[in-house]
Amino acid sequence: EAEVAQSPRYKITEKSQAVAFWCDPISGHATLYWYRQILGQGPELLVQFQDESVVDDSQLPKDRFSAERLKGVDSTLKIQPAELGDSAMYLCASSITGEQPQHFGDGTRLSIL
Amino acid sequence: QKEVEQNSGPLSVPEGAIASLNCTYSDRGSQSFFWYRQYSGKSPELIMSIYSNGDKEDGRFTAQLNKASQYVSLLIRDSQPSDSATYLCAVNYNNDYKLSFGAGTTVTVRA
């Protein structure tokens, strides 16, 4: 079964450093999502792409977070500079269209020291 | 603000029993509803989707949707220890195709 690929699986870094996450969606999935999940809470949408275009980034802290999907396939989420409160699981998901079920990757567990 | 509410649990059930999970949502315009299972430290896994009022069965799982009352539920029949996980309810508001998640209900199946 096709999967959403994410890397790295784990990332430990110090505050003020830059960190980047990568996601490769299921082939043919036009819609890609980045979520942040804090322990004990449900995932919170950070940014949604339709092909290479940002559809929604209203919850993305744009002073430190950026996301891109240049060729409409894989995507990168960056944090610069990282803060202690950014420690969380960062999940990437994709769907054929925005109306269809989303399928999640394994996530990146980020710990900020 | 569009909200999705779930009982946080934990919900403890004996092996072989039925686990019943409930979810309410605030936006009457919601069209699509999903249940995800999340094991500790893992990512959410889609187990059920439901789009119209009534029941939908898939193996030991049954999703129930009542749009008039704005709730969706999940029944797990013949619960197994492997069903021990957090179950996330997610609602898709079709005007913007965003998924809003509840905080999840943690289920523990006692052997």
Side-chain angles (χ1 to χ4, degrees), chain B residues 12-91:
Chain B
S12 181
V13 299
E15 185 174 358
I18 295 174
S20 178
L21 309 174
N22 295 315
C23 171
T24 59
Y25 57 94
S26 62
D27 192 325
R28 288 191 171 273
S30 304
Q31 296 295 323
S32 306
F33 307 85
F34 306 93
W35 284 99
Y36 285 83
R37 176 176 63 198
Q38 188 172 28
Y39 293 113
S40 181
K42 303 296 184 181
S43 64
E45 173 192 11
L46 179 69
I47 55 173
M48 289 287 286
S49 58
I50 187 166
Y51 303 93
S52 56
N53 282 329
D55 295 358
K56 179 181 178 182
E57 184 175 318
D58 184 358
R60 295 185 296 109
F61 298 100
T62 299
Q64 300 173 319
L65 175 61
N66 184 323
K67 291 186 178 180
S69 300
Q70 296 177 241
Y71 84 78
V72 57
S73 64
L74 180 71
L75 299 177
I76 307 173
R77 292 184 303 279
D78 188 23
S79 295
Q80 302 297 310
S82 61
D83 295 326
S84 297
T86 295
Y87 290 81
L88 297 165
C89 173
V91 176

Side-chain angles (χ1 to χ4, degrees), chain A residues 33 35 37 40-43 45 48 56 58 89 91 98-99 101-106 109, chain B residues 32 34 36 38 41-44 46 49 51 88 92 94 96-99 101-104:
Chain A
Y33 311 80
Y35 289 88
Q37 186 177 23
Q41 299 181 19
L45 180 69
Q48 176 182 346
D56 187 332
S58 58
M89 174 80 88
L91 296 161
E99 297 171 295
Q102 298 178 21
H103 299 270
F104 285 82
D106 288 337
R109 172 73 67 184
Chain B
S32 306
F34 306 93
Y36 285 83
Q38 188 172 28
K42 303 296 184 181
S43 64
L46 179 69
S49 58
Y51 303 93
L88 297 165
N92 189 325
N94 272 15
D96 57 13
Y97 304 137
K98 289 196 300 186
L99 268 189
F101 283 85

